[in-house]
Amino acid sequence: IEKDTARLQQIADRFSKIGSSSLLTPVQIIPILEKTIDYVKKRASKNIKFLFEFQDDHKGLTMNLSTELFSWVIENLLKNSIDSLQNTGVVKIVVKHKIRNQYIIDVIDNGKGIPSYDFKKIFDPGHTSKKRGWGLGLSLCKRIITEYHQGKIFVLKSNPFKETTIRILITK
């Protein structure tokens, strides 16, 4: 019951931050990603392999984030990857440095992929390829990354059953 209560509080906190001015605070990103991956991994099929790659010098990487909202984005992307895998496959998160203070966070899977004509549409409210759902997850992800974190989120590439990459660009 305590875990359920804590999860409901987290969900309420996330929704309360949407539409309000979000305070960004300096936080270490790697532990946030590890915690989010661990949460999703525990609820996924044992046939799905999760990989997390980052350079050792990124272990203490600090960024200005809204922890709850950023974690929500990663959780949503991981859950979408799991859905695309249909119970077996690989989901990988890669953190890397681009230039100056810009960092890349890639969420990669080998699921069914995204048609190129949908690369931009998947972030529109109401767009969904699922039988269930309202098509709000990725539109919220985009809003959180662009409006709250002044970053970018987009489909980098998609090759069905080989590699689909959703990329987040964030300035430290």
Side-chain angles (χ1 to χ4, degrees):
I1 291 176
E2 285 180 29
K3 284 184 181 179
D4 289 342
T5 303
R7 180 65 179 165
L8 288 172
Q9 182 61 50
Q10 181 183 41
I11 292 167
D13 288 346
R14 287 174 173 176
F15 275 105
S16 73
K17 287 177 174 53
I18 293 292
S20 64
S21 60
S22 180
L23 294 175
L24 305 181
T25 56
V27 292
Q28 289 186 357
I29 192 166
I30 300 303
I32 292 170
L33 292 170
E34 287 173 331
K35 183 178 177 183
T36 306
I37 292 165
D38 187 51
Y39 172 80
V40 173
K41 185 179 181 179
K42 286 178 183 175
R43 287 147 184 84
S45 165
K46 301 298 177 205
N47 296 325
I48 295 174
K49 184 175 182 179
F50 288 83
L51 303 172
F52 184 30
E53 296 177 8
F54 58 91
Q55 296 173 341
D56 285 340
D57 62 342
H58 289 149
K59 191 73 172 166
L61 176 62
T62 301
M63 292 184 175
N64 289 325
L65 299 174
S66 167
T67 302
E68 281 300 321
L69 293 180
F70 185 78
S71 177
W72 194 7
V73 168
I74 300 303
E75 185 179 316
N76 193 320
L77 294 176
L78 291 173
K79 287 179 177 178
N80 283 353
S81 286
I82 290 167
D83 288 346
S84 78
L85 293 174
Q86 302 165 349
N87 293 323
T88 186
V90 177
V91 177
K92 179 166 57 171
I93 291 186
V94 179
V95 178
K96 50 191 166 185
H97 186 230
K98 189 175 178 189
I99 53 169
R100 296 193 183 133
N101 286 331
Q102 194 168 54
Y103 288 84
I104 296 168
I105 300 157
D106 285 337
V107 178
I108 305 162
D109 66 64
N110 62 345
K112 64 183 178 180
I114 302 165
S116 60
Y117 56 81
D118 273 348
F119 279 16
K120 289 190 172 138
K121 284 194 249 179
I122 66 167
F123 297 102
D124 292 344
H127 182 84
T128 184
S129 62
K130 300 175 185 176
K131 292 178 183 173
R132 293 183 45 197
W134 291 356
L136 297 177
L138 288 175
S139 65
L140 278 173
C141 288
K142 183 170 184 166
R143 183 172 179 189
I144 290 166
I145 293 299
T146 60
E147 292 181 24
Y148 291 93
H149 296 92
Q150 287 72 50
K152 294 180 183 176
I153 183 170
F154 54 93
V155 179
L156 179 67
K157 60 183 168 183
S158 185
N159 191 350
F161 303 105
K162 291 189 179 170
E163 182 177 320
T164 295
T165 304
I166 304 286
R167 175 162 285 179
I168 298 171
L169 296 174
I170 290 200
T171 302
K172 182 176 169 183

